[in-house]
Amino acid sequence: ADITDLSNGSATTVPQPTIEIYPVLPAINDPTSEYADWVREVVTHEYTHILHMETTSGFMDIMRFVFGSIMKPNSYLPRWYLEGEAVEMESRLTPVGRGRSYYYEALVRAFSEENVWGKADIAEINFTNIPTWPRGQRPYTYGYFLLHEFSELKGDQIYGILNHRHGGRIPFFVDGAAEDIFGKSYGKLLGDTYKKLEVNVQKQLKKLQTEKASNGEVFSKDSFG
């Protein structure tokens, strides 16, 4: 859809699966500005939404047969889940993606140095209208870190398992699937993710403080250990 100069895309499954892409490259100050093949990344992101929202199972399969396309419980999941999973897949299935970006790494370091890392609870990371950084990107950034941790805990198959669990449940009661699989709520998992990343980021900060970079030298992620 060539209707704007902004780089973006969207996906919906009502009344039928549809992806809309704005064919504009991201600006240098956009969170998506680090990319290898932007079209591939944005389509992967939006297609993840389609596959996720289309998934139903069990009782909800019957409800979907009766009520049609409005009965897709995964489309009612929190925004941090929807966007976090899509950012995870755009990063996992393409050469770059936001999850592989230096921006996301630097964001955590900046929050840690300002002593605000770990302060946003599971409800707060869902909002896009909070004026503090990262503003409208909050569900994407925090959602990615949390969703990425799921695979660290349970392996790559966890996304399919969770999607089918949520796809067979009544919407809005989201913690049931997490407690069944992880033994704790999504809020507790977010807290664990904060603590794990804080340990890693302190190692990064120590290295950056002790080993001076020159002429814009970039530290590779591997160099942080």
Side-chain angles (χ1 to χ4, degrees), residues 28-63:
I28 190 65
N29 60 346
D30 193 287
T32 59
S33 62
E34 296 177 54
Y35 59 86
D37 183 341
W38 180 80
V39 173
R40 177 180 173 185
E41 290 169 30
V42 69
V43 170
T44 300
H45 182 103
E46 303 304 341
Y47 188 48
T48 298
H49 286 321
I50 297 293
L51 296 178
H52 172 77
M53 291 187 287
E54 280 289 304
T55 302
T56 56
S57 60
F59 174 71
M60 285 300 170
D61 278 339
I62 301 173
M63 297 295 289

Side-chain angles (χ1 to χ4, degrees), residues 8-162:
N8 210 338
S10 63
T12 183
T13 59
V14 179
Q16 61 185 5
T18 304
I19 293 175
E20 184 175 54
I21 303 296
Y22 305 145
V24 182
L25 292 178
I28 190 65
N29 60 346
D30 193 287
T32 59
S33 62
E34 296 177 54
Y35 59 86
D37 183 341
W38 180 80
V39 173
R40 177 180 173 185
E41 290 169 30
V42 69
V43 170
T44 300
H45 182 103
E46 303 304 341
Y47 188 48
T48 298
H49 286 321
I50 297 293
L51 296 178
H52 172 77
M53 291 187 287
E54 280 289 304
T55 302
T56 56
S57 60
F59 174 71
M60 285 300 170
D61 278 339
I62 301 173
M63 297 295 289
R64 182 171 173 179
F65 178 80
V66 174
F67 293 101
S69 63
I70 63 169
M71 192 53 62
K72 296 176 182 178
N74 281 351
S75 64
Y76 298 99
L77 283 171
R79 192 166 186 179
W80 58 258
Y81 191 108
L82 294 170
E83 300 300 349
E85 183 182 50
V87 174
E88 167 68 17
M89 292 304 142
E90 82 181 44
S91 307
R92 179 184 291 266
L93 302 174
T94 73
V96 185
R98 276 166 283 189
R100 298 173 183 266
S101 69
Y102 289 105
Y103 170 75
Y104 268 30
E105 289 271 342
L107 191 69
V108 181
R109 290 196 295 270
F111 284 158
S112 179
E113 287 193 298
E114 293 178 4
N115 295 316
V116 296
W117 178 246
K119 299 296 178 64
D121 62 22
I122 197 70
E124 187 176 342
I125 68 171
N126 207 51
F127 293 106
T128 59
N129 57 355
I130 300 175
T132 55
W133 202 257
R135 301 177 194 163
Q137 291 295 313
R138 190 169 272 101
Y140 298 79
T141 52
Y142 288 104
Y144 163 74
F145 291 125
L146 177 54
L147 268 291
H148 180 74
E149 181 63 14
F150 293 171
S151 65
E152 296 290 315
L153 294 172
K154 294 293 183 178
D156 295 346
Q157 73 277 5
I158 187 59
Y159 303 107
I161 294 171
L162 278 172

